[in-house]
Amino acid sequence: MGKIIKSDDNFEYQQENGEPTAWFSHIEEKMELVHQGNPAYKKIFYILICMGFLYLLIVFTCVH
C-alpha cells in the first residue's frame, strides 16, 4: 500500500518504494462517526421496558 503526501497545493500518491504515481488537486476526506453507548443506559432502558410491561399486564388483568 502506498501513502498520500501533501506537496505544495496538491496531493501526490507514492508507492512503497517512494515513486509518485498519481497527483490530485482535490481530495475529499471522509470520516466515520462511531458511537459507543454507556452500558448503564442499556440496563435502565430494559428496566423501564419491564416496568411498562408489568404496568400494562396489571391494567389489562384488573380491568373487566
Side-chain angles (χ1 to χ4, degrees):
M1 249 356 243
K3 56 185 172 182
I4 297 177
I5 298 174
K6 182 170 176 67
S7 61
D8 299 329
D9 291 334
N10 298 325
F11 294 90
E12 77 178 34
Y13 179 79
Q14 290 184 351
Q15 294 183 0
E16 291 178 357
N17 61 3
E19 178 185 352
T21 55
W23 292 269
F24 306 100
S25 60
H26 179 269
I27 291 181
E28 180 179 338
E29 295 183 22
K30 295 186 179 185
M31 298 169 42
E32 181 178 343
L33 180 63
V34 178
H35 174 72
Q36 199 167 23
N38 190 347
Y41 291 125
K42 189 175 183 180
K43 290 178 185 177
I44 292 171
F45 174 74
Y46 286 127
I47 289 171
L48 290 174
I49 294 295
C50 289
M51 287 174 54
F53 179 74
L54 289 174
Y55 172 77
L56 289 175
L57 187 66
I58 291 170
V59 167
F60 287 132
T61 55
C62 292
V63 175
H64 299 303

